[in-house]
Amino acid sequence: HKVLYDLGYVSTKEPFKKLINQGMILGEDGQKMSKSRGNVVNPDKVITEYGADSMRLYEMFMGPLEAIKPWSMQGVEGVHRFLQKLWRAVVDKETGELDGAVKDAQADEATLRLLNQTIKKVGDDIETFNFNTAISAMMIFVNHLGRLSVRPKAVVEKLVLILAPFAPHIAEELWQKLGHTESLAYEPWPEYDKELIKEKEIELAV
């Protein structure tokens, strides 16, 4: 890039405006991964057992991007259970089709408020590379969704769209189950209602 700049082919001195160095992933023993220590994690084995989405999701959920973090198979299992929970909330385990609880229905105020807060949180966190807290927000919303006897289809669709950058394979499958024929990759990012992200009540310590 420097040579191309000197020759006048590019207009900027540096190829990037910002550089983020991600932290090192340690073995489960807290030591640097190496063959001699026998603590190297083979991603192929993780993907075979838990799937690529669980692998991706756990890497982002481990902690701040810049932090040094130890690997944990229990953590992989945790995010895998989260994806399973989401799947069960949308897809009937017997038929493999859309669950009967997912309907074209109006969402209640609490669900709409939490959904809009989640959309804003995930969008903001992606911009600042805080992927772990974005995933935490989606976990909270999936827990809320699982408690509903009727899960509004429009709400589920927006959740699937914000999950897609983190777990693209399961998101694409769910998008098809929701009745869409085109890839969700062509869909715009969901917008949030500024009024609905405000809390109606706050608790103050006196």
Side-chain angles (χ1 to χ4, degrees):
H1 193 92
K2 295 277 191 183
V3 171
L4 292 173
Y5 176 75
D6 291 342
L7 293 172
Y9 290 115
V10 294
S11 59
T12 55
K13 290 184 178 181
E14 298 286 348
F16 311 109
K17 290 183 177 180
K18 185 178 182 181
L19 172 65
I20 295 177
N21 292 305
Q22 70 178 48
M24 184 183 294
I25 306 299
L26 307 175
E28 290 199 81
D29 57 0
Q31 301 293 315
K32 184 179 177 180
M33 287 190 195
S34 70
K35 288 181 180 179
S36 60
R37 289 195 181 97
N39 64 350
V40 175
V41 175
N42 185 337
D44 291 336
K45 289 182 179 179
V46 177
I47 291 170
T48 299
E49 188 171 352
Y50 296 99
D53 280 342
S54 295
M55 173 85 179
R56 283 169 58 95
L57 206 62
Y58 175 62
E59 286 185 309
M60 290 182 273
F61 187 59
M62 291 175 77
L65 188 64
E66 301 90 345
I68 297 173
K69 306 169 283 282
W71 186 266
S72 167
M73 287 310 299
Q74 285 185 330
V76 178
E77 290 171 5
V79 295
H80 183 64
R81 285 195 300 271
F82 158 66
L83 291 177
Q84 288 180 317
K85 188 173 188 177
L86 170 60
W87 182 268
R88 289 193 301 270
V90 182
V91 180
D92 186 289
K93 64 179 181 180
E94 300 295 334
T95 64
E97 298 303 320
L98 202 63
D99 191 276
V102 180
K103 300 177 180 178
D104 289 317
Q106 181 65 39
D108 61 76
E109 186 181 346
T111 299
L112 283 176
R113 193 171 298 281
L114 184 57
L115 173 66
N116 280 271
Q117 290 171 344
T118 305
I119 292 170
K120 182 180 188 305
K121 173 69 175 166
V122 174
D124 290 349
D125 283 352
I126 287 175
E127 293 294 329
T128 55
F129 300 96
N130 292 312
F131 305 126
N132 57 318
T133 52
I135 295 167
S136 293
M138 287 187 282
M139 287 178 168
I140 291 169
F141 189 76
V142 168
N143 286 337
H144 173 82
L145 197 66
R147 291 192 291 267
L148 300 177
S149 56
V150 174
R151 300 173 196 119
K153 188 178 176 183
V155 169
V156 175
E157 286 176 336
K158 288 184 178 180
L159 172 62
V160 170
L161 287 174
I162 62 174
L163 175 71
F166 301 86
H169 303 92
I170 191 173
E172 196 71 64
E173 291 256 0
L174 290 172
W175 192 246
Q176 289 182 15
K177 297 286 186 187
L178 288 161
H180 299 278
T181 54
E182 285 210 358
S183 170
L184 54 69
Y186 300 111
E187 294 296 317
W189 186 259
E191 294 184 3
Y192 61 86
D193 188 321
K194 291 181 180 178
E195 289 302 313
L196 283 172
I197 64 173
K198 299 173 184 175
E199 290 288 358
K200 288 185 73 175
E201 295 181 0
I202 58 171
E203 204 169 294
L204 295 176
V206 179

